[in-house]
Amino acid sequence: MKKVLLLGCLVTLCYLAWTAVASAHPLGNFTINRFSRIEVAGHTVYVRYVLDLAEIPTFQQGSRAIDVGAIARHVELTVNGRRANLVPVSHVVAHPRGAGGLHTTRLELILRGPHIDGQADVAYRDTNYADRIGWKEIVVGKDAHSTSDELRAYPKDLLQSPLSVTSVHSTLAPTSDPPPVLTRGAALQAPDRVADSGFAKLIGRDHLSFWVVLASLAAALFWGAAHALSPGHGKSIVTAYLVGQRGTPWHAALLGLIVTATHTVGVFSLGLVTLALSQFIVPDQLYPWLNLTAGVLVISIGISVLTARFRHARAHAHGHDHHHHHHHEEDAAGPSFRSLLAVGVSGGLLPCPSALVVLLAAISLHRVAFGLLLIVAFSLGLALSITGIGLVAVAAKRAFARARFDGAVLRALPALSAAVIVVAGLVMTLHALPKVT
């Protein structure tokens, strides 16, 4: 029976370690998406170029127009080995609404290329926004199928593995087709943005009466709590930590507080970076670094817990003959504030993109105070969830202790939980390393 229980604990801990790293944030609101269709009309090569900027890049673009000439210069077309010029013929820009009432941007551009007399070898490369994440698609031919319907409808697995085609080789021949034309009207306004999160919708409410604000804050609290249950956010690490370190309900509550503070400060700082430093730093490039920091933090927590256990075991072995009661009091010392702080920070370090969208929307709607309140409420919800999970862990640990397991199992738990923390940290770090370039 005891072995079964121990196995159960191990499986649970492994599962928690796995969900901790399964998937952090899908960066839907950060994407800059590119599409090109290369076609021939009569004897002329044309490129229909579409750009779709999500909420945050659009916000950063502000009132500056996108430089169509620069886009044309960053696409390279070679026909039969010779570099060909692409000239912008016409373009159209629309700003469909996205998450939190913020705008997105859709730009369509027709580029005219060289004449071809017969069959021609064509190579095409798109280097626009090369360092930005997003959907990159190129198709050849007027009727060739586009997976994203020319960036109008992204397949739902877009976020996990967006298409990434930036160059293509093909042969083209003259046709009797007319030149491509720009989209007009409603079709321009209907790119299917990745679904607006319930939290981001709150900022756009029309009338802000006392009750609306109250209801919105309650909803934000709920979304924060729900968000904490999505993968990531150090739930498993908090659990393993409190189990291994003889946490008390107070420790769980303190952890929740630290997570709230970290997450709130994180969202504000990222918002600041987005607003003030957008020319130099792209927010989505900070995420891998934050992931890496969190991973390294977690590894150091695990190692410090392990060494504490090891020292404790040695002291215990030495003092065993004299004081049988003495070691129990020393046991009750529990976690140090420093390591608690580290666990809390690692849990709140990744700002949720929808919280960032709310902050930016609040600024553009001149509802800054309301936006800040929403984000604090969201972070509080996050903390409540994590505190709740912590309390469950503490209670489970105490139930274990009462169940009078043989001492070996109980003594193994802290070391086991420390091992889980180290493994989770390692996986987080390895996950983040290739993305930090």
Side-chain angles (χ1 to χ4, degrees), residues 238-279:
V238 166
T239 314
Y241 177 80
L242 288 170
V243 168
Q245 282 294 75
R246 298 195 164 62
T248 64
W250 275 113
H251 290 129
L254 187 61
L255 259 179
L257 249 166
I258 297 170
V259 172
T260 306
T262 312
H263 190 262
T264 311
V265 168
V267 172
F268 292 167
S269 330
L270 200 58
L272 226 105
V273 163
T274 307
L275 286 171
L277 304 174
S278 59
Q279 273 70 40

Side-chain angles (χ1 to χ4, degrees), residues 48 106 108 148-154 183 187-188 190-192:
R48 171 200 207 74
R106 181 178 176 87
E108 289 193 13
S148 66
D149 185 20
E150 306 199 343
L151 307 186
R152 281 189 194 88
Y154 298 103
T183 309
L188 256 183
D192 149 53

